[in-house]
Amino acid sequence: SRLEESVKKIVTENPVVVYSKTWCSYSSEVKSLFKRLGAEPLVIELDQMGPQGRQLQKTLERLTGQHTVPNVFIGGKHIGGCTDTVKLHRKGELRLLLSEAGAT
Amino acid sequence: SRLEESVKKIVTENPVVVYSKTWCSYSSEVKSLFKRLGAEPLVIELDQMGPQGRQLQKTLERLTGQHTVPNVFIGGKHIGGCTDTVKLHRKGELRLLLSEAGAT
Ligand SMILES: N[C@@H](CCC(=O)N[C@@H](CS)C(=O)NCC(=O)O)C(=O)O
Ligand SMILES: N[C@@H](CCC(=O)N[C@@H](CS)C(=O)NCC(=O)O)C(=O)O
Ligand code: FES
């Protein structure tokens, strides 16, 4: 669909993309982890887009199998949520992924 | 108001009370921390009560100054949110509060 194509385009053209909700602490945590690592993620706040936000969340679920926020992509690859991103960081793999994607 | 009285009654009659939202990971984190410590909190899911949930959240804001979830009480005392509760645990003070309140 058109929406799926636009998500694919956004996640391949931007090194780090976070689909988020403004009032969600897990979304804030992952956004601030990226900032601490020197990466400036493209953040899309699903709750600030009216009905399109819900449509977009359904599209993300179709594309990734994940209906929850935050929904994180690095270098066009689907990473998962907050706990997935933090686990990668603890294992020392996040910095590598960010530099390979040209985010840092 | 009647709602304020009912909140005061609930938090004094139950050793641990957590006002939560079912889909919020910070709410889940604080609920599982209490379970791990052997306390069975009274959990009130604000998103499962229809319009009363929003009313209740406003009442909690008036009583505690906190509009966010999770909203935690131990022994009738307002503790705060997830990060406040985790901080108390890290300092070794949460177990004491729970046993003093008769939760463990
Ligand atoms: N482990 C996941 C949890 C994600 C999660 O449960 N997110 C919540 C908000 S914190 C959500 O989107 N809930 C909506 C739902 O469950 O329908 C992560 O770390 O991102
Ligand atoms: N530091 C607080 C954060 C609480 C918080 O921001 N909760 C969010 C959900 S995770 C909330 O209630 N957001 C609603 C809002 O900001 O209006 C805690 O640990 O509980
Ligand atoms: S809504 Fe509470 S952590 Fe996401």
Side-chain angles (χ1 to χ4, degrees):
Chain A
S1 79
R2 236 187 40 260
L3 214 47
E4 281 178 20
E5 290 317 312
S6 83
V7 171
K8 285 182 188 153
K9 188 170 149 61
I10 283 179
V11 299
T12 45
E13 289 180 1
N14 294 279
V16 187
V17 181
V18 177
Y19 291 91
S20 164
K21 285 186 183 165
T22 54
W23 37 260
C24 165
S25 300
Y26 260 37
S27 297
S28 314
E29 272 192 24
V30 86
K31 285 184 273 188
S32 58
L33 173 58
F34 284 127
K35 298 243 167 64
R36 282 201 309 279
L37 295 177
E40 282 300 330
L42 173 70
V43 175
I44 297 167
E45 301 289 2
L46 294 172
D47 60 317
Q48 302 287 304
M49 313 165 64
Q52 279 190 308
R54 195 173 289 285
Q55 274 306 317
L56 196 48
Q57 206 171 349
K58 283 205 191 98
T59 304
L60 286 166
E61 183 166 11
R62 267 201 313 279
L63 286 173
T64 67
Q66 181 184 325
H67 71 280
T68 56
V69 286
N71 203 333
V72 177
F73 295 79
I74 299 177
K77 205 171 129 259
H78 180 238
I79 300 295
C82 175
T83 45
D84 306 302
T85 309
V86 168
K87 259 187 215 139
L88 283 174
H89 182 47
R90 294 224 173 102
K91 293 193 300 195
E93 293 173 18
L94 191 59
R95 279 183 204 282
L96 192 65
L97 277 172
L98 289 173
S99 68
E100 277 171 2
T104 48
Chain B
S1 79
R2 235 185 45 256
L3 213 44
E4 281 177 22
E5 290 319 310
S6 82
V7 170
K8 285 179 188 155
K9 189 169 147 61
I10 284 177
V11 298
T12 43
E13 288 180 0
N14 294 280
V16 186
V17 180
V18 176
Y19 291 90
S20 162
K21 287 186 181 164
T22 53
W23 36 261
C24 164
S25 301
Y26 261 36
S27 297
S28 315
E29 271 191 25
V30 86
K31 285 185 276 188
S32 58
L33 172 60
F34 283 127
K35 299 244 165 69
R36 283 202 307 278
L37 297 177
E40 281 300 330
L42 173 70
V43 175
I44 296 167
E45 301 290 2
L46 294 172
D47 61 315
Q48 302 288 303
M49 314 166 65
Q52 277 189 309
R54 192 173 290 283
Q55 272 308 317
L56 196 45
Q57 210 172 346
K58 285 207 188 93
T59 304
L60 285 166
E61 182 166 12
R62 269 202 310 281
L63 285 174
T64 67
Q66 181 184 323
H67 73 279
T68 56
V69 287
N71 202 334
V72 177
F73 295 80
I74 301 176
K77 207 172 127 258
H78 180 237
I79 300 295
C82 175
T83 44
D84 305 302
T85 309
V86 168
K87 260 186 213 138
L88 283 174
H89 182 47
R90 295 225 172 105
K91 291 192 301 194
E93 293 173 16
L94 192 59
R95 278 181 205 280
L96 192 65
L97 278 173
L98 290 173
S99 68
E100 278 171 2
T104 47

